[in-house]
Amino acid sequence: RHNATTPDQTSPVHLTIGMAGALINETWMAQPEWSHIRYATFGFGKLYIHNETHLEFKTILLDPSVEDEEDRFMIIRDFE
């Protein structure tokens, strides 16, 4: 949670996604504990800026056979 109390306070947000450079049929290492989600398909990410307090990120997968079609999260900045 971002704990800014005024609009002039900032903090960085880092998002790392990787969907290129590896082969689809490549053998992967065991998934580390810190790795939340892995897909063996390609896709892309979209960042939506709804307004000055709400950002949304979505992962769009290009493989229609994957049941979990996307992953998403929102960052909400709350000025209390």
Side-chain angles (χ1 to χ4, degrees):
R1 178 177 161 104
H2 180 42
N3 60 359
T5 55
T6 63
D8 63 338
Q9 294 176 321
T10 62
S11 62
V13 174
H14 299 275
L15 174 64
T16 304
I17 62 170
M19 296 183 178
L23 302 173
I24 286 291
N25 59 355
E26 186 176 341
T27 302
W28 291 7
M29 299 181 323
Q31 184 170 349
E33 187 176 316
W34 53 262
S35 178
H36 185 64
I37 293 179
R38 281 189 174 183
Y39 295 111
T41 186
F42 293 104
F44 58 94
K46 292 177 91 173
L47 179 66
Y48 299 89
I49 302 172
H50 294 286
N51 55 43
E52 65 183 16
T53 61
H54 289 67
L55 295 175
E56 180 179 14
F57 181 84
K58 289 184 180 180
T59 300
I60 312 299
L61 301 178
L62 299 178
D63 184 351
S65 68
V66 177
E67 289 184 27
D68 184 13
E69 294 181 2
E70 62 185 33
D71 187 21
R72 73 171 111 207
F73 66 86
M74 289 194 76
I75 297 174
I76 300 171
R77 190 170 180 183
D78 185 14
F79 299 109
E80 297 175 354

